Amino acid sequence: MHLRIALALGAAVPALLAMPGIAQDAQSNEDALAEKVINNTNPASFQAYGFTPAPKVVSDKAVQGGKALRLPVTGTGDAWSAGVNVPLIKPVKAGDRIVVAFYARLSKSEAPGAKLAAQLQLSTAPYTAIFSKSFDATHEWQFLQVAGKADKDYPAGAIGASFHVNTGKHVLDLGPVAVLDMGQ
């Protein structure tokens, strides 16, 4: 199964299966969900900032797609001093329900309690969050998601998924990220 479709299904299958008649046409549902993904899900395409040394893509068979972006976090500065941006390649309309679904795990940590904040935000200053949620990172891969509604129309590239990770000295792995536009 293609990574983009697998992520979309993982994020949306529970809601879809609750709808009458949906389970009968799995292939067309898979195709419809793939159309809702509005970003590049590949960790190699993500834009990381604030890291020394620079993050690297690593292979890991335990995560969907087998690749993750390894983030060496120093914990020096604000939570948003080091992070990852995932641009949207399609426009979003006001009122659309957007789901940011992703894989994350704490690869190495000097202290317990590493957090990461996931959000949908403006891609340029003032980088205002449209919606966000904080998560506790664990040493096991987690499939996490945050959802909200677009407050207005945005052209492709004007907003994106963003992850603020500078919450302590640790190494965080960010696997595939899928941003889905579930429509009105």
Side-chain angles (χ1 to χ4, degrees):
M1 179 183 299
H2 189 274
L3 174 61
R4 179 178 223 152
I5 295 168
L7 274 169
L9 286 171
V13 161
L16 285 175
L17 292 178
M19 298 169 66
I22 291 293
Q24 290 137 0
D25 194 4
Q27 182 60 49
S28 65
N29 291 335
E30 204 172 278
D31 294 341
L33 280 172
E35 292 297 316
K36 294 183 182 306
V37 178
I38 58 175
N39 71 295
N40 184 342
T41 61
N42 185 343
S45 72
F46 303 164
Q47 302 166 352
Y49 63 91
F51 297 98
T52 303
K56 294 184 180 180
V57 175
V58 296
S59 294
D60 188 334
K61 292 179 183 178
V63 68
Q64 176 95 28
K67 300 281 183 198
L69 187 61
R70 181 151 291 161
L71 307 167
V73 183
T74 65
T76 304
D78 296 313
W80 58 87
S81 297
V84 176
N85 292 321
V86 180
L88 301 188
I89 57 177
K90 294 184 181 178
V92 172
K93 298 217 178 294
D96 282 358
R97 184 170 190 278
I98 307 298
V99 178
V100 178
F102 62 98
Y103 287 91
R105 98 172 158 171
L106 190 59
S107 179
K108 185 168 70 172
S109 178
E110 291 184 4
K115 292 191 175 292
L116 71 146
Q119 59 233 3
L120 188 70
Q121 73 176 34
L122 299 178
S123 296
T124 58
Y127 304 103
T128 306
I130 299 164
F131 59 82
S132 66
K133 183 175 180 181
S134 183
F135 297 92
D136 291 321
T138 69
H139 290 284
E140 299 296 323
W141 280 109
Q142 299 176 85
F143 181 68
L144 304 166
Q145 56 187 303
V146 57
K149 289 193 177 189
D151 59 340
K152 63 181 187 175
D153 290 352
Y154 292 97
I159 58 175
S162 180
F163 301 89
H164 298 162
V165 300
N166 198 33
T167 60
K169 188 167 177 65
H170 55 266
V171 177
L172 184 74
D173 290 344
L174 182 63
V177 175
V179 182
L180 296 94
D181 187 337
M182 304 305 287
Q184 302 288 314

